[in-house]
Amino acid sequence: MSKLRTLLSPSFYRGLPDRLIRHTVWYRNIFEDYFRIRRIDQHQDIINLGSNPAKFGLDYSDCDVRGFNLAVGPQTVEYDLNMLKNYHSYLDERGPKLLLLVLFCPFSLCKDFYTERDGAVFRDLRYYPILHHAMIREYDESVYQLWVRHPARLLLKDWKVWGRILTARKNCRLELAVNPLNEQEMQRSADDFVAGWKREFCLRDFDVRHLSEEVERALVYNSSVLDEIVSFCAERGIRPVFVLPPVAHHITDQIPDDFKEYCMYSILRNKPVPLLDYTEDERFVKSEYFVNALCLNKTGRRNFTAQVIADLKQRKIL
């Protein structure tokens, strides 16, 4: 009877176009992190935060702990803190209450926030259905109303949306269990990433004497954000752990150790937080475990997660 009343309700039909748009592949690709994260249940033992390497790096489905991957790609450390504030209550008060902060060595701390120079990612659209508006930089209520509340209006605002909806194909990268790239393509993937980071961080090279002002400022800022994360966790009985996931050697071979030391290790070393470092772990940097030079595939992800859980237990953190 209640279903019949719903079908007869005028409000059901007023909201129907918006619901139809939300079910399109095009829309779900844009907000894929939201459609994944909204499935989180209460009473988690572990939550993890991070950017794309974290999003593709951890999968708790085969583990004997209740864990959830809250990573959003791409994501700055500032938004790691905001995600923690928004979702920490999903940790079980009677459980181990672990937070795995997954950082990509050495670049996670080199970015404080995105600007218009970074393109569409600057708008932080991916957070509009995930976070409270007070936690979103440059929040715009009109963007929320258009993209989250009434996405059918996009069809009237931009006729090109029709074409995007009709031609969109599901983003299946998270479901890949094998590496679709050969060795030459892996090297090209690494070179593209490295060239992109040099542009993004205004770097001529990876000589720490030539760091841009933007990177120096970001390192100081993100160090303070990490301190805030540690304090937030301490106040709530949450145990933070830094995790550096594996990265294909095609990337790590191009980045000198002193750059990694300056931009990552020297900062983490001064925080009262355990560190699990798998950046160049030979067990996980095999090409067969990746979808590109940066992100693990499903096979690599599950093997890596099992090892992280085992190491947490071995160190009596879990």
Side-chain angles (χ1 to χ4, degrees):
M1 191 66 181
S2 61
K3 290 184 178 179
L4 179 60
R5 280 198 296 267
T6 300
L7 289 172
L8 294 175
S9 169
S11 62
F12 174 82
Y13 294 98
R14 282 198 299 270
L16 183 59
D18 294 321
R19 287 195 295 275
L20 291 174
I21 293 298
R22 293 189 192 102
H23 279 84
T24 63
V25 170
W26 170 76
Y27 189 86
R28 285 175 174 264
N29 281 347
I30 293 172
F31 293 108
E32 65 174 355
D33 292 322
Y34 160 69
F35 286 105
R36 173 175 52 85
I37 288 172
R38 72 173 185 171
R39 299 196 302 265
I40 188 172
D41 296 321
Q42 291 285 348
H43 308 298
Q44 300 292 329
D45 296 319
I46 300 172
I47 57 174
N48 74 263
L49 304 171
S51 190
N52 279 317
K55 175 178 169 179
F56 284 82
L58 293 169
D59 179 354
Y60 306 95
S61 57
D62 292 336
C63 301
D64 59 354
V65 297
R66 287 176 59 83
F68 199 90
N69 190 332
L70 287 168
V72 176
Q75 180 155 287
T76 61
V77 177
E78 178 185 65
Y79 273 104
D80 284 333
L81 174 60
N82 291 344
M83 290 291 290
L84 174 62
K85 289 178 177 179
N86 207 72
Y87 289 95
H88 73 91
S89 61
Y90 285 88
L91 286 166
D92 192 334
E93 285 296 327
R94 295 170 294 181
K97 296 184 71 173
L98 287 186
L99 165 69
L100 305 185
L101 183 55
V102 183
L103 300 169
F104 165 45
C105 179
F107 293 111
S108 280
L109 305 182
C110 293
K111 191 78 172 181
D112 44 9
F113 50 85
Y114 291 103
T115 66
E116 291 184 5
R117 191 182 69 191
D118 297 301
V121 69
F122 157 72
R123 295 186 299 163
D124 290 336
L125 181 62
R126 59 203 177 281
Y127 294 109
Y128 274 68
I130 296 174
L131 289 174
H132 186 277
H133 64 81
M135 297 180 177
I136 300 174
R137 276 184 174 267
E138 308 294 336
Y139 175 81
D140 186 331
E141 179 64 20
S142 65
V143 172
Y144 175 78
Q145 291 295 328
L146 180 62
W147 283 91
V148 180
R149 291 295 303 278
H150 305 290
R153 295 177 184 174
L154 289 162
L155 300 173
L156 303 176
K157 189 177 180 65
D158 184 356
W159 64 269
K160 293 179 182 178
V161 169
W162 289 92
R164 293 170 189 150
I165 289 175
L166 294 173
T167 59
R169 300 178 65 182
K170 183 181 179 182
N171 185 350
C172 296
R173 286 194 308 160
L174 272 172
E175 300 171 13
L176 291 176
V178 297
N179 190 344
L181 308 181
N182 59 36
E183 277 301 303
Q184 185 178 9
E185 290 168 329
M186 280 288 284
Q187 188 59 59
R188 191 180 308 124
S189 169
D191 293 344
D192 289 344
F193 276 122
V194 170
W197 292 323
K198 284 182 177 178
R199 289 193 301 271
E200 180 177 357
F201 303 125
C202 302
L203 299 172
R204 287 184 298 170
D205 50 39
F206 293 117
D207 188 329
V208 294
R209 295 170 299 180
H210 302 154
L211 288 183
S212 63
E213 291 182 9
E214 291 93 334
V215 171
E216 293 283 11
R217 181 187 66 232
L219 294 175
V220 173
Y221 177 73
N222 284 325
S223 179
S224 68
V225 175
L226 290 179
D227 290 335
E228 193 170 348
I229 289 174
V230 172
S231 296
F232 185 92
C233 289
E235 292 168 3
R236 291 158 181 82
I238 300 171
R239 301 179 67 186
V241 179
F242 294 140
V243 177
L244 307 186
V247 180
H249 71 85
H250 308 77
I251 288 178
T252 56
D253 288 350
Q254 300 188 51
I255 303 172
D257 289 341
D258 60 344
F259 187 89
K260 300 171 189 173
E261 171 66 23
Y262 188 83
C263 294
M264 180 63 68
Y265 292 113
S266 65
I267 296 172
L268 299 188
R269 197 178 296 120
N270 290 315
K271 310 301 179 188
V273 176
L275 169 63
L276 299 179
D277 183 7
Y278 305 92
T279 305
E280 299 182 53
D281 192 317
E282 293 184 356
R283 293 170 296 178
F284 305 109
V285 296
K286 308 170 187 176
S287 292
E288 65 196 73
Y289 279 170
F290 289 82
V291 294
N292 54 37
L294 180 62
C295 297
L296 293 172
N297 59 37
K298 182 181 287 188
T299 303
R301 180 160 59 250
R302 289 185 171 177
N303 285 320
F304 174 58
T305 306
Q307 188 60 54
V308 170
I309 297 301
D311 289 343
L312 289 170
K313 291 179 178 178
Q314 193 272 329
R315 294 181 62 168
K316 301 189 185 307
I317 299 172
L318 178 59

